Amino acid sequence: MQARQKSEQIADLPEFKPAWWLKNCHLQTIMAKYLAPKQPLPHSTELLALPDGDELMLCFGQTPPAKAQALVVLLHGLEGNIHSHYVRGMLHSLQQQGFAAVLMHFRGCHGQANKLPRAYHSGDTEDLRFVLHTLKARYPNLPLAAVGFSLGGNVLMKYCGETAKQCPLYAAAAVSAPLQLSASADRINRGFSKVYQRYLLNRLKATMQRKLDHYTDFPLAIKADDIQRLQSIREFDQQLTAPLHGFTDAEDYYRRSSAKAYLRTIARPHLLIHAKDDPFLAAEAIPTADELGPYSRLLLSEHGGHVGFVSGAIPGQPRYWLDQVIPAFFQQHLP
């Protein structure tokens, strides 16, 4: 395990040691989902009205914020939701360790189409900004932290960099974040990784089809057959994500939304977790020492896959390292 810390000295975090029976990156990525225990779902949900007339869903855990040492906001990955195994595991683990937790669904990810034609994307930080300010106003004396997975990790790091010293979080963590979007879009379009791309692309197509069915005045001149012909994430971003959200093209979207360039301006302790064998991400997504800021800590492992990081000595009895290391990091930095 490689780790870099350029800020204050703190206690070591537990090192990731992959299960000997799950060392392969695809096993780590795929079996992390199917081996995960069925943790309890959150206690309550809230549809939060957004300033532009849209809405998103918050899912709160069972620990009341008023009785917690801090409130942690979770950001899921592309087309994720409250049923994603990594979300359920992290919610459960945080609550077991004295935190309150809430999942912020990105627009349209809670099972129903959002109210506007626009969706969400890897660089969209405005909804997170609004959610955090809303929570801070409700719980002014409760420390806030956040953890983002994959796309959610890129959004979180970009937000932290944009807000710098004004960031309302005391700490943040990003897992398997595509901090360099263009190279990662190319990476997932090669070899066995195309299997993951096909799965995600089909979900994106279904979401966009619901929008076409819902809006008679959809702002883009695109038809259902055009969407179904798209063969890659990059093509989807070129034809839909970019024009729908004000970017010139996919490359403009990737350039302006990648969080890697924001790391050096982050002014809060933040943990970056990556695996070298991640089948979703290009090597360029992993920051170098010169790209890290003074508050960065990088945990880089040889194995782990994409949002996998499953350990355990006994086959069929996994231990989820992320559920240990991220709450420990937040504990270390409690104000």
Side-chain angles (χ1 to χ4, degrees):
M1 174 74 67
Q2 299 179 18
R4 178 175 177 85
Q5 181 185 337
K6 296 172 67 176
S7 57
E8 58 184 311
Q9 294 297 315
I10 59 176
D12 287 338
L13 295 172
E15 180 179 348
F16 174 63
K17 297 180 180 179
W20 62 267
W21 43 281
L22 284 180
K23 274 196 174 181
N24 179 275
C25 66
H26 301 300
L27 290 177
Q28 281 280 335
T29 302
I30 296 170
M31 297 309 296
K33 173 181 179 179
Y34 293 104
L35 291 172
K38 301 298 183 183
Q39 303 293 3
L41 288 174
H43 178 69
S44 61
T45 62
E46 173 187 347
L47 277 176
L48 181 67
L50 300 172
D52 64 357
D54 211 336
E55 64 186 15
L56 58 77
M57 178 175 281
L58 301 176
C59 289
F60 288 86
Q62 295 178 348
T63 301
K67 297 183 179 180
Q69 57 187 338
L71 174 61
V72 180
V73 180
L74 280 67
L75 286 76
H76 59 77
L78 183 65
E79 292 298 288
N81 54 45
I82 190 58
H83 301 292
S84 298
H85 72 278
Y86 54 87
V87 169
R88 295 164 67 118
M90 187 59 63
L91 281 170
H92 178 78
S93 181
L94 286 166
Q95 292 179 144
Q96 291 293 105
Q97 299 183 57
F99 294 94
V102 56
L103 170 68
M104 184 192 105
H105 281 97
F106 291 109
R107 301 189 190 207
C109 288
H110 65 281
Q112 299 179 12
N114 57 304
K115 293 183 175 181
L116 300 181
R118 60 150 297 174
Y120 66 99
H121 62 79
S122 297
D124 185 3
T125 57
E126 288 307 308
D127 288 351
L128 175 59
R129 188 187 309 270
F130 181 73
V131 167
L132 292 177
H133 286 183
T134 298
L135 294 173
K136 194 64 180 175
R138 290 183 187 178
Y139 312 107
N141 299 317
L142 189 63
L144 294 178
V147 53
F149 300 89
S150 196
L151 176 147
N154 187 82
V155 172
L156 176 58
M157 291 298 101
K158 182 171 179 281
Y159 168 80
C160 290
E162 289 172 344
T163 53
K165 293 183 179 180
Q166 282 69 52
C167 181
L169 303 172
Y170 76 85
V175 180
S176 303
L179 302 175
Q180 215 292 349
L181 291 164
S182 182
S184 296
D186 293 336
R187 171 66 182 90
I188 203 172
N189 195 36
R190 295 199 303 266
F192 187 84
S193 295
K194 285 186 175 183
V195 173
Y196 306 119
Q197 176 175 248
R198 188 180 307 116
Y199 170 77
L200 293 172
L201 191 57
N202 286 339
R203 291 177 66 91
L204 287 168
K205 288 177 179 180
T207 297
M208 198 54 62
Q209 184 60 57
R210 287 195 295 270
K211 286 183 176 294
L212 287 180
D213 294 340
H214 183 73
Y215 296 102
T216 56
D217 56 344
F218 194 71
L220 302 181
I222 193 168
K223 298 179 180 178
D225 289 345
D226 300 325
I227 294 176
Q228 292 308 314
R229 281 193 289 267
L230 299 175
Q231 296 297 310
S232 69
I233 297 291
R234 182 179 283 274
E235 288 183 8
F236 185 93
D237 290 337
Q238 177 72 20
Q239 298 298 322
L240 289 160
T241 308
L244 199 55
H245 298 99
F247 299 100
T248 304
D249 54 22
E251 202 57 42
D252 180 51
Y253 159 52
Y254 295 151
R255 178 182 58 81
R256 292 165 57 186
S257 299
S258 295
K260 203 177 189 185
Y262 292 85
L263 297 179
R264 293 190 60 81
T265 62
I266 298 177
R268 298 291 183 270
H270 55 283
L271 182 65
L272 303 167
I273 297 175
H274 287 274
K276 290 183 180 180
D277 66 355
D278 191 319
F280 281 51
L281 306 183
E284 292 89 334
I286 300 172
T288 65
D290 291 339
E291 291 169 326
L292 295 172
Y295 294 90
S296 301
R297 186 171 186 186
L298 172 64
L299 295 184
L300 178 60
S301 62
E302 294 291 334
H303 304 284
H306 188 75
V307 196
F309 300 98
V310 181
S311 61
I314 303 174
Q317 297 184 23
R319 298 183 64 188
Y320 285 76
W321 176 74
L322 295 174
D323 296 345
Q324 298 174 291
V325 71
I326 291 173
F329 180 75
F330 291 153
Q331 288 279 9
Q332 290 173 352
H333 289 284
L334 275 170

